[in-house]
Amino acid sequence: MKWVYRIIISFTFLSLMEGVENGCVSARFFNDSNQSQVRNIRLTSQKESVQVSRQKPPKVDFGLSKEYHDFVPHRPEVKQKKVKPPAPNQLYKQVKLLGINDLHGQLNVTRKVNGKPVGRVDYLAAYLKQREAENKNTLLVQVGDMVGASPPVSALLQDEPTIEFLNKMGFTIGTAGNHEFDEGVSELLRLIHGGTHPNTGNWKGSIFPWIVANVINGKTGKTILPPYKVIKVNGMPIGFIGVVTTETPRLVVQRGVVGIKFTDEVEAINRNVAELKKQGVKSIVVLAHNPGTSGSNGEKPIGQLVNIANRVDDEVDIIFGSHNHAYMNAMINNKLVVQAYSYGTAFADVNVEIDPKTKDIVSKQAEIVTTFQEGIEPDKEIKRQIEGYEVKVDPIINRVIGSTTVELTANQNESGEICNGRPHCGCTKKANEYRFCVDKPWRNKSRY
Ligand SMILES: [Zn+2]
């Protein structure tokens, strides 16, 4: 029997970059004879974002597309016996910092780690609330790439749903990652400060502060967001400084960052540490959207974060890293450096003790927790929020945009393109296998 497929495809242009361009495609298939849905797959089922590199990538510590958007499905530390943390010293103030990085708006996406379902922010929320309940002096921090390269539930609504999630969770502070610049600085500032957008109307903005110390407006000479912020918790001042990778201009559309300078991370951190020291702030946490990784016991740390930890002022106590979606939990030059994978599938739980006399952090230790869905109920409020946004994007996702007489597959070539063997796709046609090229829709510079 010959099938004629009607296709409903929604393209989400995740990040339109010079050299690296991303596209995400969902498709549903209908049998034309009875109009019934016969299949529902994501053409990008293997990877949430399709990445195509067209020019020699700049030399960086980690490869460009794959490692920057990869997902780690096997996590050795999960199987290791947990080392019991030392009992809290009652002379010191106990503070908990819960950190997430590289969420990429994956509000409703379930993945697998060690063969078991993980992720979705309603589960992440349940974990964060559980850990928060352990210590009333808990701060929630985010380390960038909360938005961008996101699925339809967030991307089709200008990623406002993701900021709304962070608002609802009571995040304390965050920094911008490279993906926050995907649609340019003005859209980033609208997301944070609020404003109208033709696609979504009025938006109230982020209710928690965002900081970035190394992104300067060339005209004013000032940072586009405050470089640091001091938060008092249980009477103890903690200084937070944010930075984003200086590779950002190479990873985003140029016109969105015209006149914006991304300056050296270490210089920016040290300049602001000096300022914080002048104010008597001794507990200092850096939110760095920079890559790094380590072994599960903190051994063999590598990446830009190692360089940053070795070069920043010794008053810095903790560095939350980000960007390459990896595990990191290492002591480097007496600084605790952590990263918690990506996509809401993990978070960093950092416990610190602050000496009330010196107001300095005297001990710190971290656990990177994977958000397995098994054994925990999703947070009801956040679940409702996600469902509301799913209903909103449904009509856009279900729009019929064309038809095809060949079966579509999710086969991809080496660059992650979905192909049918046409020469410009750069893939080889295998026998008895239809392949389909979406004509590189991500070449189109418009959002949809
Ligand atoms: Zn990033």
Side-chain angles (χ1 to χ4, degrees):
M1 177 183 178
K2 185 157 166 49
W3 292 93
V4 176
Y5 298 99
R6 284 201 301 132
I7 322 160
I8 297 173
I9 296 185
S10 71
F11 297 116
T12 307
F13 293 94
L14 307 168
S15 171
L16 303 163
M17 308 185 265
E18 206 175 81
V20 179
E21 299 167 84
N22 299 335
C24 178
V25 183
S26 324
R28 288 189 191 180
F29 298 80
F30 288 76
N31 172 351
D32 214 34
S33 55
N34 62 13
Q35 304 292 306
S36 67
Q37 183 173 332
V38 293
R39 197 176 299 180
N40 183 358
I41 63 162
R42 287 184 81 80
L43 291 179
T44 52
S45 58
Q46 297 307 307
K47 283 183 191 168
E48 206 49 45
S49 66
V50 179
Q51 305 241 336
V52 187
S53 185
R54 300 189 203 294
Q55 64 186 35
K56 213 175 166 206
K59 203 173 175 301
V60 287
D61 286 1
F62 297 90
L64 248 184
S65 52
K66 190 171 187 307
E67 294 193 49
Y68 279 13
H69 280 103
D70 219 358
F71 173 70
V72 182
H74 301 289
R75 303 185 181 176
E77 78 285 353
V78 166
K79 292 179 185 150
Q80 280 169 7
K81 234 185 157 190
K82 283 204 180 81
V83 185
K84 220 180 158 210
N89 184 332
Q90 295 311 322
L91 293 174
Y92 302 134
K93 307 262 188 183
Q94 311 295 318
V95 175
K96 189 186 274 296
L97 304 168
L98 298 174
I100 61 165
N101 55 276
D102 300 281
L103 177 61
H104 289 289
Q106 311 267 310
L107 307 182
N108 59 351
V109 181
T110 293
R111 291 161 193 273
K112 279 201 169 160
V113 167
N114 300 354
K116 289 189 206 159
V118 293
R120 282 187 62 98
V121 293
D122 41 3
Y123 285 92
L124 172 66
Y127 275 93
L128 293 175
K129 286 182 182 179
Q130 204 176 57
R131 298 281 170 136
E132 253 185 315
E134 292 173 7
N135 185 341
K136 64 179 188 324
N137 299 310
T138 296
L139 305 179
L140 271 67
V141 305
Q142 64 83 5
V143 204
D145 280 6
M146 292 297 101
V147 302
S150 45
V153 71
S154 183
L156 293 177
L157 299 169
Q158 291 302 122
D159 281 316
E160 290 168 10
T162 297
I163 307 296
E164 183 64 26
F165 160 71
L166 301 170
N167 282 347
K168 272 195 190 332
M169 287 302 297
F171 267 72
T172 315
I173 195 156
T175 192
N178 54 296
H179 274 286
E180 268 80 19
F181 293 88
D182 281 353
E183 293 192 38
V185 171
S186 37
E187 175 59 2
L188 164 60
L189 296 179
R190 187 196 71 88
L191 257 189
I192 295 172
H193 301 315
T196 52
H197 190 281
N199 294 347
T200 52
N202 256 335
W203 162 244
K204 64 178 182 217
S206 166
I207 58 171
F208 63 92
W210 293 56
I211 47 171
V212 65
N214 69 329
V215 184
I216 317 273
N217 179 326
K219 264 193 198 140
T220 64
K222 294 199 174 121
T223 51
I224 61 157
L225 291 163
Y228 70 87
K229 182 135 185 95
V230 180
I231 311 256
K232 268 201 173 174
V233 54
N234 201 7
M236 298 293 106
I238 302 180
F240 288 89
I241 301 168
V243 287
V244 61
T245 171
T246 50
E247 287 158 24
T248 300
R250 293 203 294 270
L251 302 173
V252 299
V253 178
Q254 295 302 300
R255 65 183 139 80
V257 290
V258 168
I260 303 294
K261 288 184 203 152
F262 292 78
T263 66
D264 184 77
E265 297 94 329
V266 173
E267 276 172 29
I269 293 166
N270 284 343
R271 196 170 46 243
N272 288 283
V273 170
E275 178 61 33
L276 287 167
K277 277 161 92 170
K278 262 194 237 160
Q279 297 173 23
V281 177
K282 298 277 189 62
S283 296
I284 298 179
V285 177
V286 170
L287 307 179
H289 194 82
N290 289 86
T293 189
S294 76
S296 52
N297 294 316
E299 71 277 19
K300 296 186 187 149
I302 51 164
Q304 291 173 12
L305 289 169
V306 177
N307 178 40
I308 292 173
N310 280 324
R311 289 176 53 217
V312 292
D313 191 293
D314 282 340
E315 205 63 78
V316 171
D317 300 283
I318 298 163
I319 303 173
F320 281 87
S322 192
H323 193 47
N324 63 323
H325 301 190
Y327 173 96
M328 191 157 192
N329 187 359
M331 286 297 285
I332 303 162
N333 191 22
N334 203 31
K335 287 138 190 121
L336 174 63
V337 188
V338 295
Q339 187 181 178
Y341 296 109
S342 62
Y343 302 144
T345 65
F347 62 95
D349 181 351
V350 178
N351 289 311
V352 303
E353 292 185 313
I354 303 177
D355 184 338
K357 286 196 198 113
T358 62
K359 300 199 168 33
D360 202 358
I361 291 176
V362 289
S363 84
K364 55 215 171 186
Q365 54 88 24
E367 182 193 355
I368 307 301
V369 185
T370 287
T371 55
F372 287 108
Q373 293 179 357
E374 192 179 86
I376 190 166
E377 283 297 308
D379 183 80
K380 285 197 181 72
E381 187 197 354
I382 301 298
K383 189 166 187 276
R384 265 200 309 278
Q385 185 211 351
I386 299 171
E387 284 163 357
Y389 286 123
E390 282 172 337
V391 168
K392 261 193 174 172
V393 298
D394 240 30
I396 310 171
I397 293 170
N398 291 322
R399 208 166 28 145
V400 177
I401 63 142
S403 62
T404 172
T405 51
V406 296
E407 184 180 359
L408 304 189
T409 75
N411 293 326
Q412 295 176 7
N413 69 6
E414 278 175 2
S415 308
E417 289 173 290
I418 300 152
C419 300
N420 68 347
R422 289 192 230 159
H424 74 271
C425 285
C427 55
T428 9
K429 190 177 176 184
K430 284 185 191 159
N432 304 322
E433 192 179 62
Y434 289 109
R435 289 187 174 190
F436 177 74
C437 180
V438 198
D439 279 324
K440 301 187 178 176
W442 41 83
R443 270 199 170 157
N444 179 352
K445 292 279 178 192
S446 69
R447 186 163 171 83
Y448 303 116

